[in-house]
């Protein structure tokens, strides 16, 4: 579900929920998810299934018929779990998805919907979950 805001010129209209179409992947294999600043949701899957990243537009002026999942590539962004967009860095920031780097913050450029390869990530020097320096 996506929460739609009312049009800018109509303050009397209430926010409304919109249902997303079913994804072309199984939720059990999601490794990462984030909201793109241009109005897309990005999701990576991996593990025991083939790596892939998908996106769907949930931006303004998109009706339900225009909301279609697209596969961006056969790559996985370098995160695990929910990732946040930092407007000051113009990057996604979250925990590293590398099992050897659990607890380290990772940042990478925001992928575009046209990206054919995964943007490179940078790791913090300290493990925030109690490990030593890398």
């Amino acid at each position: 579900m996506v929460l739609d805001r009312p049009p800018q010129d109509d303050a009397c209209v209430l926010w409304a929920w919109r249902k997303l179409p079913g994804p072309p992947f199984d939720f059990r294999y999601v490794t990462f998810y984030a909201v793109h600043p241009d109005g897309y949701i990005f999701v990576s899957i991996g593990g025991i299934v083939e790596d892939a990243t998908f996106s769907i537009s949930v931006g303004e002026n998109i009706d339900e018929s225009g909301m279609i999942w697209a596969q961006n590539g056969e790559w996985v962004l370098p995160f695990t779990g929910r990732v946040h967009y930092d407007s000051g860095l113009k990057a996604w920031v979250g925990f590293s998805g590398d099992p050897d780097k659990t607890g380290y913050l990772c940042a990478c450029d925001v992928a575009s919907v046209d990206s054919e390869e995964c943007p490179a990530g940078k790791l913090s020097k300290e493990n925030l979950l109690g490990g030593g320096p890398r």
Side-chain angles (χ1 to χ4, degrees):
M1 299 290 283
V2 177
L3 187 58
D4 274 338
R5 64 180 151 159
Q8 300 287 354
D9 57 344
D10 192 351
C12 296
V13 177
L14 299 176
W15 288 66
W17 287 102
R18 222 179 352 157
K19 186 174 181 172
L20 290 174
F25 52 85
D26 189 323
F27 283 113
R28 293 179 294 174
Y29 306 114
V30 171
T31 59
F32 146 91
Y33 59 100
V35 176
H36 190 282
D38 290 340
Y40 290 85
I41 296 173
F42 270 70
V43 178
S44 286
I45 61 168
I48 61 172
V49 296
E50 189 173 325
D51 290 350
T53 296
F54 297 87
S55 64
I56 186 169
S57 177
V58 293
E60 294 182 39
N61 303 319
I62 300 288
D63 64 14
E64 290 178 15
S65 66
M67 294 190 326
I68 300 170
W69 285 97
Q71 184 171 349
N72 296 78
E74 295 178 350
W75 43 268
V76 175
L77 283 150
F79 301 103
T80 187
R82 184 176 177 192
V83 175
H84 301 275
Y85 174 70
D86 184 300
S87 60
L89 296 174
K90 295 188 178 169
W92 277 326
V93 179
F95 280 106
S96 172
D98 182 339
D100 295 331
K101 305 295 185 216
T102 299
Y104 289 90
L105 278 182
C106 181
C108 81
D109 291 336
V110 175
S112 76
V113 293
D114 300 326
S115 295
E116 293 185 10
E117 57 186 54
C118 182
K122 292 185 178 185
L123 290 175
S124 65
K125 293 183 181 181
E126 292 184 39
N127 185 322
L128 300 180
L129 300 179
R134 56 178 173 104

